[in-house]
């Protein structure tokens, strides 16, 4: 059982990265100390209190020494539009860390981390804690969706890019980069976060080569506590016949690629 904390966290920074992408730093000592790569926090956005629901955000970084949590978000609706207006000093109620994160990366071989759009936020802490700097593959629709490149490079990671329109990096899907990288060296593990179709393609590629792969499933969440079942995904039944529903907020959001029943 994951130990979680509820905290009135103070925003210390809330800055635009580029376009619709923002980075927020929060003072939350207990959550920063407990956070693991791939976990998330559930944020109550004050202007939305009447709606009760919280919004989930992947923990992009956690610095227990400074009691700081980092999230990276894209403005996609009313909740995130409110979030971007919050100045430093504002308090927000957050719950976390929640969910099952990524496993520790192997110590003997370089791993490959794949991020689609703001999915790169969920793999940053994993890259920072990696025993060997992993190869980072970032994909997006266009150059506007490629973020955090310099942050990954500052960790000593090699970073390769792809965009659907070819405006930066290779033209095409990020799975093309993965396909090529898998011919270059034996990866310790592949870990991915991004849109479900991207995860499905990553899983198909890795499963066909029997590679160790984990995916962070993007799912609609309401309670974030395992109570409402809004976040369910299909997991293969243990006898490999059919599937059962599991809660992404509780049993995930990170799953082995071979566990997921891909429709
Ligand atoms: Fe309610 Fe997962 S969000 S059970």
């Amino acid at each position: 059982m994951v130990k979680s904390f509820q905290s009135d966290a103070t925003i210390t920074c809330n800055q635009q990265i580029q376009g619709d992408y923002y980075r927020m730093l929060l003072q939350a000592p207990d959550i920063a100390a407990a956070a693991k790569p791939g976990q998330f926090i559930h944020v109550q956005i004050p202007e939305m209190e009447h709606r009760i629901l919280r919004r989930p955000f992947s923990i992009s970084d956690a610095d227990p020494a400074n009691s700081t949590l980092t999230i990276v978000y894209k403005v996609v609706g009313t909740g995130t539009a409110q979030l971007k207006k919050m100045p430093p000093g504002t308090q927000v109620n957050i719950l976390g860390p929640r969910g099952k994160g990524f496993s520790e990366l192997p110590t003997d071989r370089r791993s490959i981390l794949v991020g689609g759009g703001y999915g790169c936020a969920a793999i940053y802490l994993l890259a920072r804690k990696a025993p060997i700097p992993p190869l980072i593959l970032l994909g997006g629709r266009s150059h506007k969706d490629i973020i955090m490149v310099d942050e990954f490079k500052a960790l000593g990671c090699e970073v390769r890019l792809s965009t659907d329109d070819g405006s930066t990096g290779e033209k095409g899907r990020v799975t093309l980069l993965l396909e090529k990288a898998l011919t270059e060296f034996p990866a310790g593990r592949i870990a991915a976060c991004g849109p479900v179709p991207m995860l499905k393609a990553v899983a198909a590629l890795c499963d066909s080569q029997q590679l160790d792969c984990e995916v962070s499933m993007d799912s609609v969440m309401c309670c974030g506590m395992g109570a409402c079942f809004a976040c369910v995904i299909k997991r293969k039944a243990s006898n490999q016949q059919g599937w059962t529903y599991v809660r992404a907020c509780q049993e995930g959001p990170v799953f082995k690629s071979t566990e997921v029943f891909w429709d």
Side-chain angles (χ1 to χ4, degrees):
M1 176 72 94
V2 175
K3 183 167 185 192
S4 297
F5 304 88
Q6 189 165 354
S7 165
D8 286 323
T10 304
I11 298 170
T12 57
C13 175
N14 190 16
Q15 285 184 331
Q16 185 183 39
I17 299 173
Q18 68 184 37
D20 291 331
Y21 294 91
Y22 287 76
R23 176 182 289 108
M24 178 179 281
L25 272 63
L26 297 146
Q27 281 282 310
D30 291 338
I31 302 175
K36 302 261 187 331
Q39 292 185 302
F40 67 93
I41 56 171
H42 223 196
V43 179
Q44 183 155 27
I45 300 171
E47 283 84 346
M48 300 186 72
E49 271 173 358
H50 61 287
R51 296 193 191 186
I52 302 170
L53 300 181
R54 295 167 178 266
R55 297 291 168 101
F57 295 92
S58 294
I59 294 169
S60 180
D61 202 2
D63 179 0
N66 290 308
S67 306
T68 304
L69 280 176
T70 305
I71 59 171
V72 170
Y73 62 96
K74 183 180 183 184
V75 177
V76 291
T78 52
T80 42
Q82 293 291 348
L83 204 60
K84 81 167 186 182
K85 292 182 195 159
M86 293 182 188
T90 308
Q91 285 203 326
V92 283
N93 190 269
I94 65 174
L95 187 63
R98 296 294 309 151
K100 182 174 91 47
F102 290 106
S103 309
E104 286 181 18
L105 293 175
T107 55
D108 57 342
R109 282 188 288 173
R110 183 158 75 133
S111 292
I112 302 174
L113 310 190
V114 186
Y118 60 86
C120 63
I123 58 172
Y124 178 80
L125 184 55
L126 185 64
R128 188 166 73 67
K129 293 193 170 234
I132 303 168
L135 171 61
I136 306 294
L137 308 179
L138 302 181
R141 288 199 183 126
S142 78
H143 66 283
K144 294 177 185 167
D145 302 301
I146 300 293
I147 56 171
M148 297 181 72
V149 175
D150 291 342
E151 286 91 332
F152 283 109
K153 285 184 178 173
L155 299 176
C157 300
E158 180 189 355
V159 182
R160 299 181 189 175
L161 310 176
S162 74
T163 48
D164 295 352
D165 66 359
S167 53
T168 192
E170 296 273 326
K171 188 174 191 302
R173 298 291 160 90
V174 73
T175 38
L176 293 176
L177 299 182
L178 177 60
E179 205 169 347
K180 180 166 178 286
L182 291 175
T183 67
E184 295 173 7
F185 64 94
R189 180 175 301 127
I190 295 88
C193 183
V196 171
M198 183 203 96
L199 299 179
K200 184 178 178 181
V202 168
L205 192 54
C206 294
D207 295 351
S208 69
Q209 299 183 36
Q210 296 179 320
L211 298 170
D212 182 4
C213 174
E214 292 184 344
V215 292
S216 177
M217 297 296 290
D218 194 9
S219 189
V220 173
M221 288 189 192
C222 290
C223 73
M225 298 286 291
C228 73
F229 286 72
C231 62
V232 291
I233 67 148
K234 291 177 179 174
R235 182 163 71 186
K236 286 177 190 163
S238 50
N239 61 3
Q240 299 297 306
Q241 302 281 318
W243 46 267
T244 54
Y245 281 123
V246 290
R247 298 158 298 181
C249 72
Q250 199 77 1
E251 284 81 23
V254 175
F255 296 89
K256 285 192 173 299
S257 59
T258 49
E259 279 184 285
V260 179
F261 185 93
W262 302 98
D263 285 318

